[in-house]
Amino acid sequence: MKKYIEIYNHFKELIQSKQLKSGEKIPSVRKAADIFSVSKTTIQNAYFELQADGYIISSEKSGYFVCDNINLKTQDNNIVINKKDIKYDLKSGDADKECFDIALWQRYIKSALRQQERLLSYGDVQGEADLRETLCQYIAQKRNVSASPDRIVIGAGVNSLLGILCSLIKGRKTVSFPDKSFINGISLFNDYGFEVGIKNKNADIIYVSPSHMTSFGSVMPIKRRIELLNHIKTTSSIIIEDDFDSDFVYQSKPAPALYALSGGKNVVYMGSFSNVLVPGIRISFMVLTEELAAEFHKNKERFAQTASKTEQIALCGYIRDGHIYSQTRKIRRRYTEKTKIFYNELKKEIPSAQLSISENGINIRLIIDFEKDISVFEDNQISVYIRSYENGVLKLILIPSAIPKEEIKNAIFALKNALL
């Protein structure tokens, strides 16, 4: 067994047995390297795995702390993790402020607020009826997904919908994810008592994001989609198709949704608007299978609507008036342009790095020889996603969407300073 796995298991056991409590600080990379008599790289790899599995979280300039997936504050020692300001965010995939017309959105919000009688009542547990009808037309045009409004459920984010789905699925005990990156989803299924596996094709539930299969944004080819659908016919498994990033497929021809290919059989389709609009508008939806929709309607009183009624009304008008389509074209054009500029400038400034653009067109993979402490990124006010750091080779995934075009060169200079 590799040494970093032994160290990973050591801390995992301490956390699971509550010997290390939520919010408690664990040894720094340097100190842990001394304790275990290993290199700092070995400790960093163990900590990366602990972070990926949701056991610990890193706080800039503060170190690593045990995470409870809810908050990072404890009453005992008053530890509060505060993120320091990051000047160049190449990790989160947040929106560029120039990519969304806030003033236009505010007009739709104001229009919704004028519907006073409607706002005096609680929202429909399933989601506002007019928005569900509009979504039917939207997903049929965009992804060839045909569904009636009674099979659509709206919620505030994918996680709230997964909670509903977990309570509807009966007699199923195993779920498979493509990798460990979706920490919140994995934790949620664990909380509902599911046995979670990675790439387990025989699981009762298979969770996939065909347009963003990996952290690098790989796209599932049509051949693999058909193979997956043929497989679930023999196993009666259910696919949860998270159509995340389907609007951002540049390098390959867009493939049909699994839901469309299956005719809605054994596939639950999930969509969201946070990437096309802004992350702060937390409205997601799922299209249930016929059987699960019937189960939902039988148990409707058990659920609560989590999405703002005002925002649902506003979004309905925004989509109905065609703004969602022009917004999608605008953001795709801007993000792909920005990624190409970043890639070309990076290639000139750091020729020693191996660079490639993902199939979804918004991620850049960077591979480079690296012998420094990873804290240099924090020192240069950069936030990056570290895919791996092993044997002196660093692999980063960079998402420049949140960087203003006029700041791209400065961001690259800061990154170059950290790397070289």
Side-chain angles (χ1 to χ4, degrees), residues 204-251:
D204 298 325
I205 302 163
I206 300 173
Y207 192 103
V208 290
S209 298
S211 298
H212 197 117
M213 287 176 58
T214 65
S215 54
F216 184 50
S218 302
V219 177
M220 183 184 289
I222 184 68
K223 181 182 176 183
R224 171 67 182 127
R225 295 177 194 231
I226 293 171
E227 287 174 352
L228 182 58
L229 290 172
N230 287 335
H231 172 72
I232 66 167
K233 285 179 183 177
T234 61
T235 62
S236 298
S237 301
I238 289 177
I239 291 174
I240 300 175
E241 179 182 16
D242 186 343
D243 210 22
F244 174 72
D245 263 3
S246 64
D247 289 305
F248 300 94
V249 178
Y250 304 97
Q251 312 296 336

mmCIF file of all heavy atoms in Angstrom, residues 204-251:
data_model
loop_
_atom_site.group_PDB
_atom_site.id
_atom_site.type_symbol
_atom_site.label_atom_id
_atom_site.label_comp_id
_atom_site.label_asym_id
_atom_site.label_seq_id
_atom_site.Cartn_x
_atom_site.Cartn_y
_atom_site.Cartn_z
ATOM 1 N N ASP A 204 -27.538 0.126 -8.189
ATOM 2 C CA ASP A 204 -28.969 0.339 -8.434
ATOM 3 C C ASP A 204 -29.226 1.685 -9.094
ATOM 4 O O ASP A 204 -30.163 1.839 -9.877
ATOM 5 C CB ASP A 204 -29.748 0.283 -7.112
ATOM 6 C CG ASP A 204 -29.642 -1.070 -6.433
ATOM 7 O OD1 ASP A 204 -29.594 -2.084 -7.153
ATOM 8 O OD2 ASP A 204 -29.599 -1.108 -5.188
ATOM 9 N N ILE A 205 -28.402 2.674 -8.716
ATOM 10 C CA ILE A 205 -28.542 4.026 -9.264
ATOM 11 C C ILE A 205 -27.184 4.448 -9.817
ATOM 12 O O ILE A 205 -26.152 4.318 -9.136
ATOM 13 C CB ILE A 205 -28.990 5.025 -8.174
ATOM 14 C CG1 ILE A 205 -30.314 4.566 -7.574
ATOM 15 C CG2 ILE A 205 -29.119 6.433 -8.739
ATOM 16 C CD1 ILE A 205 -30.630 5.231 -6.261
ATOM 17 N N ILE A 206 -27.170 4.972 -11.026
ATOM 18 C CA ILE A 206 -25.924 5.423 -11.655
ATOM 19 C C ILE A 206 -26.035 6.918 -11.920
ATOM 20 O O ILE A 206 -26.893 7.360 -12.695
ATOM 21 C CB ILE A 206 -25.651 4.658 -12.960
ATOM 22 C CG1 ILE A 206 -25.536 3.156 -12.674
ATOM 23 C CG2 ILE A 206 -24.379 5.176 -13.636
ATOM 24 C CD1 ILE A 206 -25.430 2.286 -13.914
ATOM 25 N N TYR A 207 -25.203 7.687 -11.246
ATOM 26 C CA TYR A 207 -25.225 9.146 -11.376
ATOM 27 C C TYR A 207 -24.164 9.569 -12.391
ATOM 28 O O TYR A 207 -22.985 9.254 -12.237
ATOM 29 C CB TYR A 207 -24.915 9.792 -10.021
ATOM 30 C CG TYR A 207 -25.181 11.286 -9.967
ATOM 31 C CD1 TYR A 207 -26.314 11.780 -9.348
ATOM 32 C CD2 TYR A 207 -24.296 12.194 -10.532
ATOM 33 C CE1 TYR A 207 -26.573 13.148 -9.289
ATOM 34 C CE2 TYR A 207 -24.536 13.560 -10.491
ATOM 35 C CZ TYR A 207 -25.675 14.027 -9.863
ATOM 36 O OH TYR A 207 -25.914 15.382 -9.822
ATOM 37 N N VAL A 208 -24.584 10.268 -13.444
ATOM 38 C CA VAL A 208 -23.640 10.695 -14.475
ATOM 39 C C VAL A 208 -23.906 12.135 -14.898
ATOM 40 O O VAL A 208 -25.035 12.617 -14.827
ATOM 41 C CB VAL A 208 -23.687 9.786 -15.736
ATOM 42 C CG1 VAL A 208 -23.126 8.413 -15.451
ATOM 43 C CG2 VAL A 208 -25.100 9.685 -16.285
ATOM 44 N N SER A 209 -22.865 12.812 -15.316
ATOM 45 C CA SER A 209 -22.964 14.139 -15.941
ATOM 46 C C SER A 209 -22.330 14.014 -17.322
ATOM 47 O O SER A 209 -21.133 14.282 -17.493
ATOM 48 C CB SER A 209 -22.227 15.192 -15.109
ATOM 49 O OG SER A 209 -22.796 15.301 -13.829
ATOM 50 N N PRO A 210 -23.071 13.581 -18.321
ATOM 51 C CA PRO A 210 -22.483 13.255 -19.632
ATOM 52 C C PRO A 210 -21.716 14.399 -20.286
ATOM 53 O O PRO A 210 -20.787 14.156 -21.057
ATOM 54 C CB PRO A 210 -23.705 12.861 -20.474
ATOM 55 C CG PRO A 210 -24.717 12.430 -19.485
ATOM 56 C CD PRO A 210 -24.521 13.309 -18.302
ATOM 57 N N SER A 211 -22.105 15.644 -20.009
ATOM 58 C CA SER A 211 -21.408 16.780 -20.618
ATOM 59 C C SER A 211 -20.256 17.289 -19.754
ATOM 60 O O SER A 211 -19.583 18.252 -20.121
ATOM 61 C CB SER A 211 -22.391 17.927 -20.878
ATOM 62 O OG SER A 211 -23.394 17.518 -21.779
ATOM 63 N N HIS A 212 -20.058 16.672 -18.599
ATOM 64 C CA HIS A 212 -18.955 17.060 -17.714
ATOM 65 C C HIS A 212 -18.597 15.820 -16.882
ATOM 66 O O HIS A 212 -18.783 15.782 -15.674
ATOM 67 C CB HIS A 212 -19.383 18.218 -16.806
ATOM 68 C CG HIS A 212 -18.243 18.923 -16.167
ATOM 69 N ND1 HIS A 212 -17.952 20.245 -16.404
ATOM 70 C CD2 HIS A 212 -17.287 18.494 -15.297
ATOM 71 C CE1 HIS A 212 -16.893 20.604 -15.704
ATOM 72 N NE2 HIS A 212 -16.471 19.554 -15.025
ATOM 73 N N MET A 213 -18.073 14.789 -17.563
ATOM 74 C CA MET A 213 -17.843 13.497 -16.916
ATOM 75 C C MET A 213 -16.752 13.533 -15.864
ATOM 76 O O MET A 213 -16.792 12.798 -14.884
ATOM 77 C CB MET A 213 -17.480 12.450 -17.971
ATOM 78 C CG MET A 213 -18.637 12.014 -18.835
ATOM 79 S SD MET A 213 -18.071 10.875 -20.112
ATOM 80 C CE MET A 213 -17.349 9.563 -19.145
ATOM 81 N N THR A 214 -15.736 14.358 -16.084
ATOM 82 C CA THR A 214 -14.604 14.428 -15.173
ATOM 83 C C THR A 214 -14.378 15.876 -14.763
ATOM 84 O O THR A 214 -14.993 16.792 -15.301
ATOM 85 C CB THR A 214 -13.326 13.896 -15.847
ATOM 86 O OG1 THR A 214 -12.983 14.774 -16.933
ATOM 87 C CG2 THR A 214 -13.522 12.493 -16.388
ATOM 88 N N SER A 215 -13.464 16.077 -13.811
ATOM 89 C CA SER A 215 -13.154 17.436 -13.365
ATOM 90 C C SER A 215 -12.570 18.267 -14.494
ATOM 91 O O SER A 215 -12.583 19.497 -14.443
ATOM 92 C CB SER A 215 -12.175 17.396 -12.190
ATOM 93 O OG SER A 215 -11.019 16.645 -12.527
ATOM 94 N N PHE A 216 -12.074 17.611 -15.551
ATOM 95 C CA PHE A 216 -11.521 18.339 -16.692
ATOM 96 C C PHE A 216 -12.588 18.669 -17.738
ATOM 97 O O PHE A 216 -12.313 19.352 -18.706
ATOM 98 C CB PHE A 216 -10.387 17.527 -17.332
ATOM 99 C CG PHE A 216 -9.689 18.243 -18.462
ATOM 100 C CD1 PHE A 216 -9.224 19.547 -18.305
ATOM 101 C CD2 PHE A 216 -9.509 17.631 -19.688
ATOM 102 C CE1 PHE A 216 -8.593 20.214 -19.338
ATOM 103 C CE2 PHE A 216 -8.863 18.280 -20.726
ATOM 104 C CZ PHE A 216 -8.410 19.580 -20.546
ATOM 105 N N GLY A 217 -13.794 18.206 -17.544
ATOM 106 C CA GLY A 217 -14.857 18.555 -18.466
ATOM 107 C C GLY A 217 -14.954 17.650 -19.686
ATOM 108 O O GLY A 217 -15.355 18.087 -20.757
ATOM 109 N N SER A 218 -14.612 16.376 -19.536
ATOM 110 C CA SER A 218 -14.724 15.431 -20.650
ATOM 111 C C SER A 218 -16.190 15.145 -20.954
ATOM 112 O O SER A 218 -17.030 15.133 -20.059
ATOM 113 C CB SER A 218 -14.008 14.121 -20.314
ATOM 114 O OG SER A 218 -12.649 14.359 -20.030
ATOM 115 N N VAL A 219 -16.487 14.898 -22.225
ATOM 116 C CA VAL A 219 -17.856 14.655 -22.677
ATOM 117 C C VAL A 219 -18.032 13.180 -23.023
ATOM 118 O O VAL A 219 -17.196 12.581 -23.695
ATOM 119 C CB VAL A 219 -18.185 15.540 -23.905
ATOM 120 C CG1 VAL A 219 -19.592 15.244 -24.423
ATOM 121 C CG2 VAL A 219 -18.047 17.016 -23.551
ATOM 122 N N MET A 220 -19.145 12.589 -22.561
ATOM 123 C CA MET A 220 -19.414 11.182 -22.835
ATOM 124 C C MET A 220 -19.778 10.994 -24.314
ATOM 125 O O MET A 220 -20.735 11.615 -24.798
ATOM 126 C CB MET A 220 -20.562 10.677 -21.953
ATOM 127 C CG MET A 220 -20.863 9.194 -22.134
ATOM 128 S SD MET A 220 -22.307 8.652 -21.162
ATOM 129 C CE MET A 220 -21.639 8.730 -19.493
ATOM 130 N N PRO A 221 -19.052 10.160 -25.046
ATOM 131 C CA PRO A 221 -19.361 9.950 -26.469
ATOM 132 C C PRO A 221 -20.687 9.215 -26.643
ATOM 133 O O PRO A 221 -21.149 8.509 -25.738
ATOM 134 C CB PRO A 221 -18.178 9.108 -26.970
ATOM 135 C CG PRO A 221 -17.608 8.465 -25.756
ATOM 136 C CD PRO A 221 -17.866 9.394 -24.612
ATOM 137 N N ILE A 222 -21.285 9.360 -27.816
ATOM 138 C CA ILE A 222 -22.586 8.765 -28.084
ATOM 139 C C ILE A 222 -22.550 7.247 -27.929
ATOM 140 O O ILE A 222 -23.510 6.635 -27.429
ATOM 141 C CB ILE A 222 -23.083 9.170 -29.497
ATOM 142 C CG1 ILE A 222 -24.493 8.641 -29.757
ATOM 143 C CG2 ILE A 222 -22.119 8.712 -30.569
ATOM 144 C CD1 ILE A 222 -25.559 9.271 -28.934
ATOM 145 N N LYS A 223 -21.437 6.634 -28.333
ATOM 146 C CA LYS A 223 -21.326 5.170 -28.220
ATOM 147 C C LYS A 223 -21.443 4.729 -26.769
ATOM 148 O O LYS A 223 -22.141 3.761 -26.448
ATOM 149 C CB LYS A 223 -19.983 4.710 -28.810
ATOM 150 C CG LYS A 223 -19.786 3.204 -28.769
ATOM 151 C CD LYS A 223 -18.426 2.802 -29.323
ATOM 152 C CE LYS A 223 -18.218 1.293 -29.189
ATOM 153 N NZ LYS A 223 -16.873 0.879 -29.663
ATOM 154 N N ARG A 224 -20.776 5.460 -25.888
ATOM 155 C CA ARG A 224 -20.820 5.112 -24.463
ATOM 156 C C ARG A 224 -22.224 5.347 -23.894
ATOM 157 O O ARG A 224 -22.698 4.583 -23.046
ATOM 158 C CB ARG A 224 -19.783 5.964 -23.713
ATOM 159 C CG ARG A 224 -19.858 5.882 -22.198
ATOM 160 C CD ARG A 224 -19.472 4.515 -21.686
ATOM 161 N NE ARG A 224 -19.586 4.448 -20.244
ATOM 162 C CZ ARG A 224 -20.277 3.517 -19.585
ATOM 163 N NH1 ARG A 224 -20.900 2.567 -20.245
ATOM 164 N NH2 ARG A 224 -20.338 3.522 -18.280
ATOM 165 N N ARG A 225 -22.911 6.364 -24.368
ATOM 166 C CA ARG A 225 -24.273 6.638 -23.892
ATOM 167 C C ARG A 225 -25.206 5.477 -24.240
ATOM 168 O O ARG A 225 -26.016 5.046 -23.408
ATOM 169 C CB ARG A 225 -24.791 7.942 -24.512
ATOM 170 C CG ARG A 225 -24.016 9.167 -24.060
ATOM 171 C CD ARG A 225 -24.496 10.445 -24.726
ATOM 172 N NE ARG A 225 -23.526 11.518 -24.513
ATOM 173 C CZ ARG A 225 -23.824 12.731 -24.052
ATOM 174 N NH1 ARG A 225 -25.069 13.040 -23.767
ATOM 175 N NH2 ARG A 225 -22.884 13.625 -23.880
ATOM 176 N N ILE A 226 -25.082 4.999 -25.458
ATOM 177 C CA ILE A 226 -25.941 3.889 -25.890
ATOM 178 C C ILE A 226 -25.605 2.620 -25.106
ATOM 179 O O ILE A 226 -26.499 1.867 -24.696
ATOM 180 C CB ILE A 226 -25.788 3.666 -27.408
ATOM 181 C CG1 ILE A 226 -26.372 4.881 -28.157
ATOM 182 C CG2 ILE A 226 -26.490 2.380 -27.849
ATOM 183 C CD1 ILE A 226 -26.096 4.888 -29.642
ATOM 184 N N GLU A 227 -24.306 2.381 -24.876
ATOM 185 C CA GLU A 227 -23.887 1.209 -24.096
ATOM 186 C C GLU A 227 -24.469 1.271 -22.685
ATOM 187 O O GLU A 227 -24.919 0.257 -22.143
ATOM 188 C CB GLU A 227 -22.357 1.144 -24.024
ATOM 189 C CG GLU A 227 -21.695 0.717 -25.318
ATOM 190 C CD GLU A 227 -20.174 0.817 -25.239
ATOM 191 O OE1 GLU A 227 -19.667 1.362 -24.226
ATOM 192 O OE2 GLU A 227 -19.506 0.370 -26.186
ATOM 193 N N LEU A 228 -24.448 2.448 -22.090
ATOM 194 C CA LEU A 228 -24.961 2.618 -20.732
ATOM 195 C C LEU A 228 -26.463 2.342 -20.683
ATOM 196 O O LEU A 228 -26.955 1.668 -19.769
ATOM 197 C CB LEU A 228 -24.650 4.036 -20.240
ATOM 198 C CG LEU A 228 -25.065 4.396 -18.809
ATOM 199 C CD1 LEU A 228 -24.423 3.448 -17.805
ATOM 200 C CD2 LEU A 228 -24.675 5.841 -18.488
ATOM 201 N N LEU A 229 -27.190 2.855 -21.681
ATOM 202 C CA LEU A 229 -28.638 2.637 -21.715
ATOM 203 C C LEU A 229 -28.968 1.161 -21.951
ATOM 204 O O LEU A 229 -29.916 0.626 -21.361
ATOM 205 C CB LEU A 229 -29.272 3.504 -22.806
ATOM 206 C CG LEU A 229 -29.271 5.005 -22.516
ATOM 207 C CD1 LEU A 229 -29.754 5.778 -23.745
ATOM 208 C CD2 LEU A 229 -30.133 5.337 -21.307
ATOM 209 N N ASN A 230 -28.206 0.491 -22.797
ATOM 210 C CA ASN A 230 -28.409 -0.947 -23.013
ATOM 211 C C ASN A 230 -28.131 -1.734 -21.740
ATOM 212 O O ASN A 230 -28.806 -2.723 -21.438
ATOM 213 C CB ASN A 230 -27.511 -1.450 -24.145
ATOM 214 C CG ASN A 230 -27.987 -0.985 -25.515
ATOM 215 O OD1 ASN A 230 -29.168 -0.697 -25.703
ATOM 216 N ND2 ASN A 230 -27.076 -0.906 -26.472
ATOM 217 N N HIS A 231 -27.139 -1.272 -20.990
ATOM 218 C CA HIS A 231 -26.776 -1.957 -19.748
ATOM 219 C C HIS A 231 -27.899 -1.887 -18.720
ATOM 220 O O HIS A 231 -28.229 -2.895 -18.089
ATOM 221 C CB HIS A 231 -25.494 -1.336 -19.171
ATOM 222 C CG HIS A 231 -25.152 -1.839 -17.803
ATOM 223 N ND1 HIS A 231 -24.683 -3.111 -17.578
ATOM 224 C CD2 HIS A 231 -25.241 -1.240 -16.578
ATOM 225 C CE1 HIS A 231 -24.478 -3.280 -16.282
ATOM 226 N NE2 HIS A 231 -24.816 -2.160 -15.658
ATOM 227 N N ILE A 232 -28.517 -0.716 -18.556
ATOM 228 C CA ILE A 232 -29.548 -0.602 -17.514
ATOM 229 C C ILE A 232 -30.828 -1.357 -17.882
ATOM 230 O O ILE A 232 -31.640 -1.651 -17.003
ATOM 231 C CB ILE A 232 -29.873 0.876 -17.169
ATOM 232 C CG1 ILE A 232 -30.535 1.592 -18.353
ATOM 233 C CG2 ILE A 232 -28.642 1.613 -16.687
ATOM 234 C CD1 ILE A 232 -31.160 2.921 -17.964
ATOM 235 N N LYS A 233 -30.983 -1.677 -19.158
ATOM 236 C CA LYS A 233 -32.143 -2.492 -19.541
ATOM 237 C C LYS A 233 -32.053 -3.878 -18.922
ATOM 238 O O LYS A 233 -33.062 -4.496 -18.589
ATOM 239 C CB LYS A 233 -32.212 -2.610 -21.066
ATOM 240 C CG LYS A 233 -32.695 -1.351 -21.773
ATOM 241 C CD LYS A 233 -32.704 -1.560 -23.278
ATOM 242 C CE LYS A 233 -33.117 -0.287 -24.012
ATOM 243 N NZ LYS A 233 -33.066 -0.445 -25.486
ATOM 244 N N THR A 234 -30.827 -4.389 -18.769
ATOM 245 C CA THR A 234 -30.640 -5.736 -18.224
ATOM 246 C C THR A 234 -30.586 -5.732 -16.704
ATOM 247 O O THR A 234 -30.818 -6.756 -16.077
ATOM 248 C CB THR A 234 -29.339 -6.353 -18.767
ATOM 249 O OG1 THR A 234 -28.219 -5.539 -18.361
ATOM 250 C CG2 THR A 234 -29.362 -6.411 -20.288
ATOM 251 N N THR A 235 -30.280 -4.588 -16.108
ATOM 252 C CA THR A 235 -30.128 -4.522 -14.646
ATOM 253 C C THR A 235 -31.279 -3.803 -13.951
ATOM 254 O O THR A 235 -31.386 -3.859 -12.734
ATOM 255 C CB THR A 235 -28.829 -3.792 -14.280
ATOM 256 O OG1 THR A 235 -28.892 -2.444 -14.784
ATOM 257 C CG2 THR A 235 -27.618 -4.481 -14.865
ATOM 258 N N SER A 236 -32.133 -3.110 -14.724
ATOM 259 C CA SER A 236 -33.226 -2.298 -14.158
ATOM 260 C C SER A 236 -32.713 -1.189 -13.250
ATOM 261 O O SER A 236 -33.404 -0.749 -12.331
ATOM 262 C CB SER A 236 -34.213 -3.182 -13.386
ATOM 263 O OG SER A 236 -34.804 -4.124 -14.248
ATOM 264 N N SER A 237 -31.489 -0.751 -13.495
ATOM 265 C CA SER A 237 -30.939 0.375 -12.733
ATOM 266 C C SER A 237 -31.601 1.671 -13.187
ATOM 267 O O SER A 237 -32.230 1.726 -14.249
ATOM 268 C CB SER A 237 -29.425 0.479 -12.954
ATOM 269 O OG SER A 237 -28.774 -0.696 -12.551
ATOM 270 N N ILE A 238 -31.455 2.709 -12.362
ATOM 271 C CA ILE A 238 -31.936 4.047 -12.717
ATOM 272 C C ILE A 238 -30.738 4.949 -12.940
ATOM 273 O O ILE A 238 -29.790 4.949 -12.145
ATOM 274 C CB ILE A 238 -32.824 4.628 -11.596
ATOM 275 C CG1 ILE A 238 -34.162 3.892 -11.534
ATOM 276 C CG2 ILE A 238 -33.086 6.126 -11.822
ATOM 277 C CD1 ILE A 238 -35.063 4.359 -10.423
ATOM 278 N N ILE A 239 -30.759 5.699 -14.024
ATOM 279 C CA ILE A 239 -29.712 6.689 -14.287
ATOM 280 C C ILE A 239 -30.210 8.055 -13.841
ATOM 281 O O ILE A 239 -31.336 8.446 -14.148
ATOM 282 C CB ILE A 239 -29.356 6.739 -15.786
ATOM 283 C CG1 ILE A 239 -28.655 5.453 -16.223
ATOM 284 C CG2 ILE A 239 -28.459 7.946 -16.093
ATOM 285 C CD1 ILE A 239 -28.397 5.384 -17.719
ATOM 286 N N ILE A 240 -29.382 8.758 -13.083
ATOM 287 C CA ILE A 240 -29.633 10.165 -12.803
ATOM 288 C C ILE A 240 -28.729 10.944 -13.742
ATOM 289 O O ILE A 240 -27.501 10.910 -13.608
ATOM 290 C CB ILE A 240 -29.330 10.533 -11.338
ATOM 291 C CG1 ILE A 240 -30.205 9.717 -10.385
ATOM 292 C CG2 ILE A 240 -29.557 12.030 -11.103
ATOM 293 C CD1 ILE A 240 -29.885 9.946 -8.916
ATOM 294 N N GLU A 241 -29.330 11.624 -14.701
ATOM 295 C CA GLU A 241 -28.570 12.370 -15.696
ATOM 296 C C GLU A 241 -28.526 13.848 -15.301
ATOM 297 O O GLU A 241 -29.492 14.583 -15.485
ATOM 298 C CB GLU A 241 -29.196 12.226 -17.083
ATOM 299 C CG GLU A 241 -28.455 13.003 -18.156
ATOM 300 C CD GLU A 241 -29.112 12.910 -19.529
ATOM 301 O OE1 GLU A 241 -30.294 12.510 -19.606
ATOM 302 O OE2 GLU A 241 -28.434 13.244 -20.525
ATOM 303 N N ASP A 242 -27.406 14.247 -14.744
ATOM 304 C CA ASP A 242 -27.191 15.663 -14.405
ATOM 305 C C ASP A 242 -26.639 16.332 -15.663
ATOM 306 O O ASP A 242 -25.488 16.116 -16.030
ATOM 307 C CB ASP A 242 -26.207 15.768 -13.244
ATOM 308 C CG ASP A 242 -26.037 17.194 -12.732
ATOM 309 O OD1 ASP A 242 -26.421 18.131 -13.462
ATOM 310 O OD2 ASP A 242 -25.505 17.375 -11.624
ATOM 311 N N ASP A 243 -27.468 17.152 -16.305
ATOM 312 C CA ASP A 243 -27.078 17.730 -17.598
ATOM 313 C C ASP A 243 -26.225 18.986 -17.436
ATOM 314 O O ASP A 243 -26.264 19.889 -18.268
ATOM 315 C CB ASP A 243 -28.325 18.042 -18.427
ATOM 316 C CG ASP A 243 -28.065 17.930 -19.923
ATOM 317 O OD1 ASP A 243 -27.113 17.235 -20.301
ATOM 318 O OD2 ASP A 243 -28.807 18.542 -20.704
ATOM 319 N N PHE A 244 -25.470 19.015 -16.373
ATOM 320 C CA PHE A 244 -24.547 20.105 -16.068
ATOM 321 C C PHE A 244 -23.595 20.353 -17.231
ATOM 322 O O PHE A 244 -23.018 19.430 -17.781
ATOM 323 C CB PHE A 244 -23.767 19.726 -14.802
ATOM 324 C CG PHE A 244 -22.672 20.668 -14.420
ATOM 325 C CD1 PHE A 244 -22.957 21.920 -13.912
ATOM 326 C CD2 PHE A 244 -21.341 20.302 -14.569
ATOM 327 C CE1 PHE A 244 -21.944 22.780 -13.557
ATOM 328 C CE2 PHE A 244 -20.322 21.155 -14.211
ATOM 329 C CZ PHE A 244 -20.631 22.406 -13.703
ATOM 330 N N ASP A 245 -23.452 21.603 -17.633
ATOM 331 C CA ASP A 245 -22.506 22.029 -18.673
ATOM 332 C C ASP A 245 -22.885 21.624 -20.096
ATOM 333 O O ASP A 245 -22.056 21.724 -21.003
ATOM 334 C CB ASP A 245 -21.084 21.524 -18.380
ATOM 335 C CG ASP A 245 -20.241 22.591 -17.701
ATOM 336 O OD1 ASP A 245 -20.765 23.677 -17.411
ATOM 337 O OD2 ASP A 245 -19.050 22.339 -17.453
ATOM 338 N N SER A 246 -24.120 21.167 -20.319
ATOM 339 C CA SER A 246 -24.480 20.778 -21.683
ATOM 340 C C SER A 246 -24.498 21.967 -22.639
ATOM 341 O O SER A 246 -24.417 21.794 -23.859
ATOM 342 C CB SER A 246 -25.849 20.085 -21.706
ATOM 343 O OG SER A 246 -26.877 20.981 -21.305
ATOM 344 N N ASP A 247 -24.606 23.187 -22.085
ATOM 345 C CA ASP A 247 -24.572 24.391 -22.925
ATOM 346 C C ASP A 247 -23.149 24.755 -23.345
ATOM 347 O O ASP A 247 -22.957 25.664 -24.139
ATOM 348 C CB ASP A 247 -25.178 25.582 -22.178
ATOM 349 C CG ASP A 247 -26.680 25.443 -22.022
ATOM 350 O OD1 ASP A 247 -27.357 25.264 -23.048
ATOM 351 O OD2 ASP A 247 -27.167 25.489 -20.879
ATOM 352 N N PHE A 248 -22.151 24.048 -22.763
ATOM 353 C CA PHE A 248 -20.760 24.411 -23.012
ATOM 354 C C PHE A 248 -19.999 23.234 -23.611
ATOM 355 O O PHE A 248 -19.061 22.713 -23.024
ATOM 356 C CB PHE A 248 -20.093 24.868 -21.718
ATOM 357 C CG PHE A 248 -20.767 26.058 -21.102
ATOM 358 C CD1 PHE A 248 -21.737 25.907 -20.142
ATOM 359 C CD2 PHE A 248 -20.435 27.344 -21.511
ATOM 360 C CE1 PHE A 248 -22.367 27.006 -19.579
ATOM 361 C CE2 PHE A 248 -21.058 28.448 -20.963
ATOM 362 C CZ PHE A 248 -22.033 28.277 -19.992
ATOM 363 N N VAL A 249 -20.429 22.795 -24.763
ATOM 364 C CA VAL A 249 -19.723 21.729 -25.483
ATOM 365 C C VAL A 249 -19.274 22.311 -26.811
ATOM 366 O O VAL A 249 -20.077 22.524 -27.702
ATOM 367 C CB VAL A 249 -20.621 20.493 -25.691
ATOM 368 C CG1 VAL A 249 -19.863 19.428 -26.480
ATOM 369 C CG2 VAL A 249 -21.066 19.932 -24.347
ATOM 370 N N TYR A 250 -17.970 22.585 -26.922
ATOM 371 C CA TYR A 250 -17.440 23.272 -28.089
ATOM 372 C C TYR A 250 -16.613 22.362 -28.987
ATOM 373 O O TYR A 250 -16.633 22.468 -30.196
ATOM 374 C CB TYR A 250 -16.532 24.442 -27.661
ATOM 375 C CG TYR A 250 -17.207 25.434 -26.751
ATOM 376 C CD1 TYR A 250 -17.047 25.368 -25.377
ATOM 377 C CD2 TYR A 250 -17.982 26.460 -27.279
ATOM 378 C CE1 TYR A 250 -17.653 26.287 -24.541
ATOM 379 C CE2 TYR A 250 -18.590 27.386 -26.455
ATOM 380 C CZ TYR A 250 -18.423 27.292 -25.084
ATOM 381 O OH TYR A 250 -19.022 28.203 -24.258
ATOM 382 N N GLN A 251 -15.833 21.495 -28.358
ATOM 383 C CA GLN A 251 -14.829 20.753 -29.106
ATOM 384 C C GLN A 251 -15.395 19.524 -29.825
ATOM 385 O O GLN A 251 -14.722 18.911 -30.628
ATOM 386 C CB GLN A 251 -13.693 20.306 -28.165
ATOM 387 C CG GLN A 251 -13.151 21.409 -27.269
ATOM 388 C CD GLN A 251 -12.495 22.535 -28.044
ATOM 389 O OE1 GLN A 251 -12.055 22.333 -29.163
ATOM 390 N NE2 GLN A 251 -12.437 23.726 -27.469
#
